[in-house]
Amino acid sequence: MLDIPSSVRVDVEALLAAQNHMGVCDAIEQYAPVGKPDTMTAPHFPKVAGIDSTVPPPAHTVAPASPAPAPPSSPGAPGAPGAPGAPGALIQDRLAGWVSDLTTLHELTERLARTAVMDDALHEVLRAGAALVGARRGLVVLEPADGLGPDTTVGLGLARADLGHIETVPRGATSYGRILDRTDGTGEPEVHADLLSEDGLDPRHREVAARLGYAASFALPLATEAAGRLGAAVWLYDEPAEPVERQRHLVGLYTRYATEHLARLLELERARAKSRTIAEELLPPRLPRVAGVQLAARHRTGPRGGGDWYDALPLPEGALGLTVGSVTGSGASAVAAMGRLRASLRAYAVMEGEDPVAVLSDLELLLRLTEPARSATALFAYCEPALRKVVLAGAGHSPPLVIGERRTEFVETSLSAPLGMLACWEAPSVEFSPEPGETVLLYTDGLLHRTGDPMDRAFARLHAAAAGVPRTIRDDPGAIADHVLHTVLPDGLDAADSDEDVVLLAARFE
């Protein structure tokens, strides 16, 4: 973050005394903005870089009264200490411009710092840069130099089709392409003040520029020594133009900070992607086909990766084992623990799956001996599709939900503690028989927790969502799972960043 002082004080007496030997003026000159200073006649918030700033003016500034004409002998006459052309007035104008620029950069970088997702940050960089250089449109090409991705292109004022047209221009003929292909790592901008009149402009580039209606461009690399090269930003002008020196100075300061922020988000994005990949690889790549039952699963992983799992395992004599569960904690360690428990449960299910209590008892003993600091909730169901018979046991887990034409109800299960919480876990099993066409929905607690409601309201919301499944999709377990997921977690809550994983496993009995 830029180190911007909260206030700048000017000692008027010192300024007046400095007219003779200009000591103050020389000191301020060292901190003046690059380029020729803009003359200001009032300390109100000025235009930034030649355009109207998007940042509101500071509340403490007021417009001064217009000075009345004064006789030559008075203090306000030309050449007097308070005259508009005196060095004191020039110093105040420079200070006001300096404070204005710093305030603008502070506001823009504060907005950028509040973004927590890469896509939001890229859009904010484009909007802020466009305000600083006086452009309406632009694009950011994210292409980290290490080649590990992610690679993406984001536009401002450009539709996806417009970005597609720009991407048809040979890479070496574009501003961002030349920046990204540099090997010396320089941070020099690419300026094209009048594209259509340039000699040697690529014909395809000329055609695309004319079609999209831009006549000039200004491009900067998103690169610092610490972060390396992350990509390039390009702003487009409707008419021949280029940013002045002051604009280049401001946008250069902003993009240096923006690159550091994007580098942090990039590292976080890669860590999340790795965690999601590992979690997905530890879950079944596909669900088995078993006569008499249709299966579907939905899984949403939190940003740090959680320990929720599901599984469907064919068992001898046409039986089927269904399980969902959740390991406490998040991150790589929880994902690894989830993988170990799921693999162990599969082994116990093959050996004694017809007795769900024994399966969970063995799993609890393993957890207590190998992971004493963890606990887990789990549910295991032994299904015989030919008989439409289900025997299940749960360890601190939410009860399954039966969804059918005539009923939508939670299965009555006994109260039990999570695995690893007691010296010896034990709970009775429950047996029930789904009717033909009914779907048994298993889910993890993340579905309820993501609603943000108390548990009683979350259960009521889940029941209402299941009861409202349209008749036209009741024969499709995948459609049922999607309907429940999007109804319980509307407005993108199912995809939003959350510490809670979500798992749904639907089994429709024929």
Side-chain angles (χ1 to χ4, degrees):
M1 185 59 64
L2 293 170
D3 186 11
I4 301 175
S6 59
S7 63
V8 176
R9 301 178 180 177
V10 179
D11 191 331
V12 178
E13 294 182 0
L15 293 175
L16 296 177
Q19 294 181 34
N20 296 325
H21 30 80
M22 294 302 292
V24 177
C25 203
D26 292 339
I28 294 176
E29 182 67 25
Q30 298 178 9
Y31 299 95
V34 175
K36 183 179 180 180
D38 296 337
T39 301
M40 297 179 58
T41 59
H44 65 277
F45 197 85
K47 291 184 177 181
V48 177
I51 64 169
D52 290 328
S53 172
T54 58
V55 182
H60 65 275
T61 59
V62 294
S66 300
S73 59
S74 66
L90 179 60
I91 293 172
Q92 292 185 41
D93 287 345
R94 287 184 176 181
L95 284 175
W98 180 45
V99 173
S100 168
D101 292 344
L102 291 177
T103 303
T104 300
L105 288 174
H106 176 68
E107 293 291 339
L108 294 177
T109 52
E110 280 289 334
R111 289 186 204 171
L112 181 61
R114 288 193 289 269
T115 60
V117 181
M118 179 63 74
D119 190 66
D120 294 343
L122 293 176
H123 280 94
E124 180 59 33
V125 169
L126 280 175
R127 285 191 292 266
L132 291 173
V133 302
R136 278 195 320 112
R137 295 179 290 175
L139 66 150
V140 167
V141 179
L142 187 68
E143 188 177 302
D146 57 14
L148 300 179
D151 297 348
T152 186
T153 301
V154 175
L156 172 69
L158 297 171
R160 174 52 59 182
D162 297 335
L163 294 176
H165 285 306
I166 293 175
E167 290 173 351
T168 63
V169 179
R171 180 184 176 100
T174 61
S175 298
Y176 68 85
R178 286 190 289 270
I179 289 175
L180 296 176
D181 291 340
R182 287 175 185 166
T183 58
D184 56 1
T186 59
E188 295 299 321
E190 285 274 341
V191 185
H192 298 276
D194 192 351
L195 273 171
L196 300 181
S197 64
E198 280 189 7
D199 295 333
L201 184 66
D202 184 86
R204 179 58 182 167
H205 196 178
R206 189 185 305 275
E207 178 185 347
V208 170
R211 180 170 185 170
L212 300 184
Y214 66 88
S217 67
F218 176 74
L220 276 177
L222 297 175
T224 63
E225 185 177 349
R229 192 214 70 206
L230 301 185
V234 185
W235 290 278
L236 306 175
Y237 297 88
D238 297 340
E239 302 292 339
E242 63 178 297
V244 299
E245 191 172 2
R246 185 186 180 196
Q247 291 175 314
R248 298 190 191 190
H249 179 66
L250 290 174
V251 76
L253 292 174
Y254 178 80
T255 54
R256 281 198 291 273
Y257 169 79
T259 301
E260 297 294 339
H261 182 70
L262 293 175
R264 291 189 290 269
L265 292 181
L266 180 64
E267 184 179 358
L268 182 60
E269 190 81 11
R270 288 175 174 177
R272 290 175 177 175
K274 289 179 182 179
S275 183
R276 285 194 297 267
T277 301
I278 293 173
E280 294 294 337
E281 289 297 324
L282 290 174
L283 294 174
R286 67 181 67 86
L287 295 173
R289 294 184 178 181
V290 178
V293 64
Q294 294 176 283
L295 301 173
R298 298 294 183 266
H299 182 217
R300 299 291 186 271
T301 305
R304 293 185 294 174
D308 286 18
W309 81 80
Y310 68 91
D311 205 353
L313 182 65
L315 297 174
E317 300 178 1
L320 176 68
L322 301 176
T323 178
V324 293
S326 177
V327 176
T328 55
S330 60
S333 61
V335 172
M338 175 270 287
R340 290 191 291 268
L341 286 183
R342 174 179 167 268
S344 301
L345 191 148
R346 290 173 67 91
Y348 298 144
V350 170
M351 293 186 294
E352 45 194 6
E354 67 280 358
D355 185 357
V357 173
V359 172
L360 293 186
S361 296
D362 293 342
L363 190 65
E364 195 275 337
L365 178 60
L366 176 70
L367 181 68
R368 186 152 42 88
L369 293 177
T370 61
E371 313 248 3
R374 289 193 184 278
S375 62
T377 63
L379 187 147
F380 180 77
Y382 178 79
C383 308
E384 296 181 76
L387 303 176
R388 292 195 304 279
K389 173 183 174 183
V390 179
V391 181
L392 66 86
H397 206 82
S398 300
L401 186 60
V402 179
I403 305 171
E405 293 287 344
R406 301 181 180 179
R407 62 172 177 169
T408 300
E409 60 185 24
F410 292 102
V411 177
E412 293 286 344
T413 57
S414 58
L415 184 65
S416 60
L419 303 176
M421 297 292 290
L422 302 177
C424 182
W425 177 88
E426 187 174 354
S429 61
V430 175
E431 181 178 325
F432 68 98
S433 297
E435 297 295 327
E438 290 187 332
T439 298
V440 178
L441 183 67
L442 312 182
Y443 54 93
T444 58
D445 293 343
L447 178 65
L448 307 174
H449 292 160
R450 279 204 187 194
T451 64
D453 293 336
M455 291 303 288
D456 56 342
R457 291 187 181 181
F459 274 114
R461 179 184 289 192
L462 173 58
H463 186 276
V469 173
R471 292 179 178 272
T472 55
I473 64 172
R474 286 184 179 269
D475 58 349
D476 184 353
I480 292 174
D482 287 333
H483 174 84
V484 171
L485 181 63
H486 297 146
T487 305
V488 175
L489 301 176
D491 302 325
L493 283 175
D494 62 314
D497 284 350
S498 171
D499 290 339
E500 301 288 344
D501 282 11
V502 176
V503 162
L504 289 89
L505 179 60
R508 180 182 180 274
F509 289 84
E510 299 175 351

